[in-house]
Amino acid sequence: MELADRAVGFLLTFLSLSIFTYYTFWVIILPFVDGDHFVHKYFLPQEYAILIPVSAGVAILCFLCIFIGLVMLKSKKKKA
């Protein structure tokens, strides 16, 4: 089981670093590259650089609030 946990940990670390590198290049370096350069075809338009993280944050916050609300409702029913 320890080997499987290490593999999952390595995979998640690699995935996180890949996303971080892609996003950093997209947001910080790409605006300084000429618009007709071939590298621009590998990235979404700049508007999505803000829209995607904000949407993900709102979705996570909503799911977290729903989860906490359900846990509070269940614990209230157990006391009664």
Side-chain angles (χ1 to χ4, degrees):
M1 189 66 170
E2 182 179 322
L3 184 61
D5 290 341
R6 289 184 109 188
V8 170
F10 178 75
L11 181 67
L12 289 175
T13 302
F14 179 75
L15 181 67
S16 298
L17 286 174
S18 299
I19 291 171
F20 176 76
T21 304
Y22 179 87
Y23 186 78
T24 301
F25 188 80
W26 181 26
V27 172
I28 295 175
I29 297 173
L30 200 62
F32 299 108
V33 177
D34 290 333
D36 58 346
H37 199 271
F38 75 94
V39 78
H40 278 277
K41 69 180 178 181
Y42 298 111
F43 296 92
L44 293 171
Q46 288 290 323
E47 300 87 39
Y48 291 107
I50 300 298
L51 186 64
I52 291 172
V54 168
S55 300
V58 168
I60 289 171
L61 189 63
C62 288
F63 287 127
L64 184 63
C65 289
I66 290 170
F67 175 74
I68 290 172
L70 289 173
V71 168
M72 289 174 65
L73 286 174
K74 285 185 179 181
S75 69
K76 192 173 185 179
K77 286 180 184 178
K78 281 185 177 180
K79 288 182 180 179

